[in-house]
Amino acid sequence: MGYSDFSVHPNKVRAKTPRRGLGLLLVLGLSLAGCGDSSERSPESVADDLSDLVYKSVTLRKDPAIEADKGWEPIERTDRFTVQYIETFMFSPPYWDIRLDKWDCRTEDSAEQCADGRGTPVGYSIEPNLVDPRSIRIIAPDTARGEVGHALKFECAAAGDASCLRARGIRHDDDEYDSCENNDCSDMKRNAQEAVHASMVDFARNRAASKSMTIECGTAETCSEALLLFRELLDRAAMRPHITDANQIKDQIAIINGVIAGADFEEHFPKGRLHASANGIESVKRIHRQATSFGMNREGLPQLSVEVCAENDPGKCDDKQNWDSLLMVVDIENINPARSIYHDWKNQKEGGEIVTEWEGKSLVLACHAPEVCIEEFGVGISFRSQTGTIPCKDAETCYTALWSIMSLVSFAATPAYDDFVAEMMAKAHPVTEIDDWDDAEDALKRIADRLREEPWRVPISDIDLTYLIHQRDAEFDTDNSILITGYFCVEGEQCGDEDKEMFADMAFALDLMDSETLRTDRLVALKEQKILNIACAGEENYCAGLVLPVGLWEMRGASVTCKNSDACEATAADLRGLKAFLGNAPPRESDQTDKADDQSDEAAKPKPVDDQTLDPAIVGIWALENPPFTGWVTEFRADGKFIFNNGQGLTMGAYTASGGVMYQTTPSLNLTETVTYRFLDNGRIELTGRYGVSIWRRQGVRR
């Protein structure tokens, strides 16, 4: 072979023609997965073009630590790329091994000497499926330090001990290299060359073990062209389609959908496994998944629609009522190609004991750690994961789907994909243009008109109750927040009885709303109730609050009901427009006419605590007695602060109280409330606000 081989896997390079079964798979993969490819080129052709571009490119890097420790500077030269067809073990697909021929010139004095053939020729192998597409980038020289030459740098995707790089050895047959193995040399020269070779072998092994490599490519312009060719070479060698523009994404999505739609598999758990569904979390021993479609959502992300039946009795899956709909959304640019595999294991064991039995085939997509790139949404549930499973039918179509998915992963590492996502996000997240307060008022009226006419059913499994929430109107609360007004009741107990139905307003601080995540519920097509989800910007911010007769429940997100999915999207556009407008809005005209009222409101806000503004009898811990909120607690502290605890979170604010009137403020939502109070017998207090009456019983000592 012309190499001092020292790490070639003994059974990897055996035959240059595929076995019969894998040959059929290869033909099928190239004919199906190659669909939509703008130019079908062979790996050899791309390798030749890349070689012509980078031939004899040299870099010199200045690393003081290496120079001080080793006494040499890294000088490298790239010569050529070649490919060799590789047949793999078992039923894994074949691929083309990429051969990178370089020169290591760290024993020389200059980059010019390296370009002239001074140094040692070393060869590496690159397994294309294990390269991390995100890592490919151009490295510029630090000319101020005397560095020379641009280079591409790439790294292997994390895959345990597996590496995308393998050192192949010294290239004795290189025409430029005066190798003593092929020529007569004196004993002194031979010994010196063998010593250099031993050092180079160790260095090459360590270089491959580092799972990082450079490709010298000369200038920035040449490297930009080389980057495109290297990406294409990886795609061609990995047998996956090569995507050059965003229009081809839909082609690959269509291929994936065509080969997996209708595919299913069952997973059996002898010891049981926790499974989340619309009915809550329960232990099951059998999960049946069936793929219904693979497509792209409005934001440009691939998504799989799946039907899931988690019933221990297989016969129950004959009834479609026992199936849940599930959406799996994939953040494609964070998928790890080295850990995403075709799965056809019959059994999975832990400690020699079977914990999972499979029937059927699937693809397992894995994220780059520590990223979480898989989101699954069901009716009443949602969760994020580092792995996702896609049912598929047989080995040939499974690999066809896998190749197309990996082509998307490869393209997702390009600037063209970033442009595509930005365009899709702009279309998916339109913003209503709002120029003045009249436009803002009109937007609120439209939001109110789109609210769902029927109540929104919210089951609370922990206490076996279902709330009905009826959102009816929208209004400004402050210049930066709005109220969605309405009422709620407990289904079957309070609903229909006006004395028991309680007002419930949803307050939104628009300046803290995250416009990018504002979206219609993922499963809007699967639900009768259309919901617009609103999330807060930043993990620590509270941008929403449920205003109840018994207090304010602060939240990091909330929902608005809609008549239909189009209404939800239109409301989202109006909310984005309101946020953009309110951020720089001039004062409303009503602010001047209502100045006296504003001054009155300002006077009503809590003032510094003193004997006149804080009734000592109200200081203490009080527990709510109004069903179904029994157990909720408010602590009125002696320093004028209050803490409300509903068992799921805390709301904090300030208060003053004297003469039977209490003023409460909640700074996080910029809300102010006036409440009257009177003391009852048996250590109770009655609070009356604009939303009704609540009764509290003293639980703790005064502070």
Side-chain angles (χ1 to χ4, degrees):
M1 296 175 62
Y3 288 81
S4 296
D5 296 309
F6 48 83
S7 63
V8 174
H9 296 301
N11 295 320
K12 275 235 170 175
V13 184
R14 275 189 290 142
K16 294 187 179 181
T17 57
R19 293 192 298 261
R20 184 181 181 90
L22 288 179
L24 174 62
L25 187 153
L26 175 61
V27 171
L28 179 65
L30 291 177
S31 62
L32 288 180
C35 181
D37 214 345
S38 59
S39 59
E40 194 61 53
R41 299 209 294 164
S42 68
E44 294 100 330
S45 175
V46 183
D48 289 343
D49 288 349
L50 183 56
S51 297
D52 292 341
L53 188 66
V54 303
Y55 181 60
K56 287 193 174 182
S57 295
V58 177
T59 60
L60 181 151
R61 295 293 182 253
K62 296 282 187 178
D63 190 327
I66 293 180
E67 188 173 6
D69 182 42
K70 305 292 185 181
W72 49 264
E73 296 174 335
I75 306 176
E76 295 183 272
R77 166 181 144 187
T78 295
D79 271 7
R80 68 181 67 86
F81 287 86
T82 57
V83 292
Q84 181 177 4
Y85 182 84
I86 299 295
E87 181 184 13
T88 55
F89 299 109
M90 303 299 290
F91 294 101
S92 298
Y95 66 94
W96 294 85
D97 192 40
I98 300 172
R99 307 294 176 88
L100 170 60
D101 290 344
K102 301 185 66 169
W103 282 67
D104 189 326
C105 306
R106 56 195 168 93
T107 57
E108 307 306 319
D109 297 327
S110 68
E112 291 77 11
Q113 289 178 326
C114 191
D116 290 338
R118 299 274 296 275
T120 305
V122 180
Y124 296 90
S125 285
I126 304 170
E127 186 165 340
N129 292 297
L130 301 182
V131 174
D132 184 353
R134 307 174 307 168
S135 70
I136 307 171
R137 59 197 184 276
I138 297 174
I139 305 297
D142 185 345
T143 54
R145 294 172 55 181
E147 295 183 348
V148 175
H150 288 71
L152 296 182
K153 186 173 183 178
F154 68 91
E155 296 160 5
C156 303
D161 294 333
S163 174
C164 65
L165 290 167
R166 188 175 73 252
R168 288 161 52 225
I170 309 301
R171 304 196 327 270
H172 295 286
D173 58 352
D174 193 289
D175 293 338
E176 290 188 75
Y177 187 53
D178 183 17
S179 171
C180 291
E181 184 170 301
N182 300 327
N183 301 286
D184 292 333
C185 296
S186 65
D187 289 343
M188 181 179 295
K189 181 178 180 179
R190 182 179 298 276
N191 291 337
Q193 194 173 86
E194 287 177 354
V196 170
H197 287 178
S199 173
M200 294 298 181
V201 164
D202 287 340
F203 178 80
R205 282 175 168 165
N206 292 334
R207 184 72 178 276
S210 73
K211 301 183 180 181
S212 175
M213 182 61 66
T214 58
I215 301 169
E216 290 64 46
C217 46
T219 66
E221 293 76 13
T222 304
C223 284
S224 295
E225 188 176 350
L227 188 150
L228 296 177
L229 283 172
F230 184 59
R231 287 193 184 280
E232 182 178 2
L233 179 58
L234 291 174
D235 288 342
R236 305 294 185 192
M239 318 285 279
R240 60 190 179 228
H242 177 58
I243 300 177
T244 57
D245 64 69
N247 293 326
Q248 295 169 320
I249 292 178
K250 294 181 180 179
D251 296 334
Q252 300 307 318
I253 293 288
I255 289 171
I256 299 167
N257 181 59
V259 298
I260 72 167
D264 62 349
F265 74 88
E266 290 185 9
E267 195 173 1
H268 301 262
F269 306 93
K271 291 187 174 182
R273 173 185 171 182
L274 292 179
H275 174 72
S277 70
N279 297 321
I281 299 177
E282 55 187 346
S283 178
V284 298
K285 293 187 176 182
R286 177 182 177 277
I287 299 178
H288 191 161
R289 297 175 184 262
Q290 184 175 64
T292 55
S293 65
F294 191 92
M296 183 183 299
N297 68 13
R298 298 172 64 251
E299 297 169 350
L301 296 176
Q303 70 178 23
L304 172 71
S305 298
V306 182
E307 296 294 318
V308 180
C309 178
E311 294 286 349
N312 295 331
D313 180 2
K316 290 187 177 181
C317 290
D318 294 336
D319 185 352
K320 284 301 180 182
Q321 295 295 322
N322 293 323
W323 289 73
D324 289 326
S325 297
L326 197 70
L327 286 181
M328 186 177 79
V329 179
V330 182
D331 178 10
I332 199 70
E333 61 183 316
N334 283 314
I335 291 292
N336 185 343
R339 296 180 58 237
S340 299
I341 60 172
Y342 161 53
H343 196 326
D344 191 23
W345 303 337
K346 180 61 180 174
N347 296 316
Q348 182 176 329
K349 297 183 178 181
E350 290 182 6
E353 188 173 357
I354 295 176
V355 295
T356 303
E357 298 175 353
W358 293 76
E359 290 182 14
K361 298 169 172 56
S362 65
L363 302 178
V364 178
L365 303 184
C367 309
H368 287 285
E371 303 293 338
V372 177
C373 65
I374 305 290
E375 291 186 90
E376 296 195 15
F377 302 86
V379 178
I381 61 168
S382 65
F383 52 91
R384 306 176 71 209
S385 175
Q386 289 190 327
T387 59
T389 303
I390 300 178
C392 52
K393 298 174 183 177
D394 51 49
E396 287 81 2
T397 55
C398 286
Y399 276 119
T400 297
L402 183 60
W403 281 324
S404 287
I405 292 172
M406 291 306 109
S407 73
L408 298 176
V409 173
S410 176
F411 182 66
T414 67
Y417 178 78
D418 294 337
D419 294 341
F420 165 74
V421 171
E423 181 181 351
M424 293 293 290
M425 291 288 282
K427 291 179 179 178
H429 300 155
V431 180
T432 301
E433 184 175 347
I434 297 177
D435 297 322
D436 52 40
W437 282 105
D438 288 338
D439 289 347
E441 293 286 356
D442 290 341
L444 270 187
K445 291 177 182 178
R446 291 194 298 269
I447 292 172
D449 290 341
R450 300 189 197 106
L451 292 172
R452 180 179 169 86
E453 296 175 356
E454 298 81 14
W456 171 23
R457 300 182 74 255
V458 182
I460 309 296
S461 57
D462 291 346
I463 55 178
D464 196 26
L465 289 177
T466 296
Y467 292 150
L468 296 185
I469 299 177
H470 196 163
Q471 296 178 332
R472 296 185 296 188
D473 203 355
E475 61 186 48
F476 282 109
D477 185 52
T478 68
D479 283 356
N480 276 316
S481 64
I482 64 173
L483 284 176
I484 304 295
T485 61
Y487 70 89
F488 81 100
C489 56
V490 177
E491 187 177 39
E493 296 181 11
Q494 301 174 337
C495 297
D497 185 341
E498 293 185 1
D499 292 334
K500 293 184 178 180
E501 291 177 346
M502 288 178 278
F503 288 98
D505 290 356
M506 187 65 70
F508 295 101
L510 295 181
D511 55 332
L512 299 178
M513 180 185 72
D514 188 347
S515 296
E516 292 188 2
T517 60
L518 183 66
R519 60 162 67 94
T520 305
D521 192 283
R522 297 279 196 180
L523 284 171
V524 66
L526 306 175
K527 289 185 175 181
E528 295 180 1
Q529 302 182 125
K530 313 307 182 194
I531 306 298
L532 178 66
N533 293 327
I534 300 175
C536 306
E539 296 181 357
E540 301 302 321
N541 287 329
Y542 290 91
C543 66
L546 183 59
V547 186
L548 300 168
V550 296
L552 175 68
W553 184 353
E554 287 186 303
M555 296 178 289
R556 291 191 173 93
S559 301
V560 174
T561 63
C562 320
K563 292 179 179 178
N564 52 55
S565 56
D566 290 339
C568 281
E569 293 303 321
T571 291
D574 281 340
L575 287 173
R576 296 188 195 100
L578 285 170
K579 177 178 180 178
F581 169 71
L582 296 176
N584 299 289
R588 283 185 288 179
E589 292 181 4
S590 60
D591 291 345
Q592 302 300 321
T593 59
D594 295 339
K595 187 175 182 180
D597 292 338
D598 291 342
Q599 291 174 342
S600 176
D601 291 341
E602 183 67 27
K605 292 182 179 179
K607 303 173 179 60
V609 175
D610 56 38
D611 293 341
Q612 283 71 45
T613 60
L614 195 64
D615 187 339
I618 208 168
V619 175
I621 300 173
W622 302 83
L624 184 64
E625 292 192 338
N626 294 55
F629 306 109
T630 304
W632 290 12
V633 174
T634 297
E635 178 184 2
F636 292 106
R637 297 172 51 172
D639 60 0
K641 304 292 179 61
F642 74 85
I643 301 174
F644 171 64
N645 186 347
N646 63 6
Q648 299 187 31
L650 301 178
T651 298
M652 292 176 283
Y655 79 101
T656 60
S658 65
V661 179
M662 178 190 301
Y663 301 105
Q664 297 178 347
T665 63
T666 307
S668 59
L669 289 173
N670 195 25
L671 292 178
T672 301
E673 173 73 357
T674 301
V675 178
T676 62
Y677 66 91
R678 68 186 183 97
F679 294 100
L680 307 177
D681 56 1
N682 298 321
R684 297 180 303 158
I685 188 173
E686 178 187 87
L687 303 182
T688 303
R690 59 173 168 166
Y691 296 116
V693 178
S694 58
I695 306 297
W696 303 75
R697 182 182 296 276
R698 184 182 295 279
Q699 296 291 305
V701 298
R702 301 176 184 179
R703 294 187 180 184

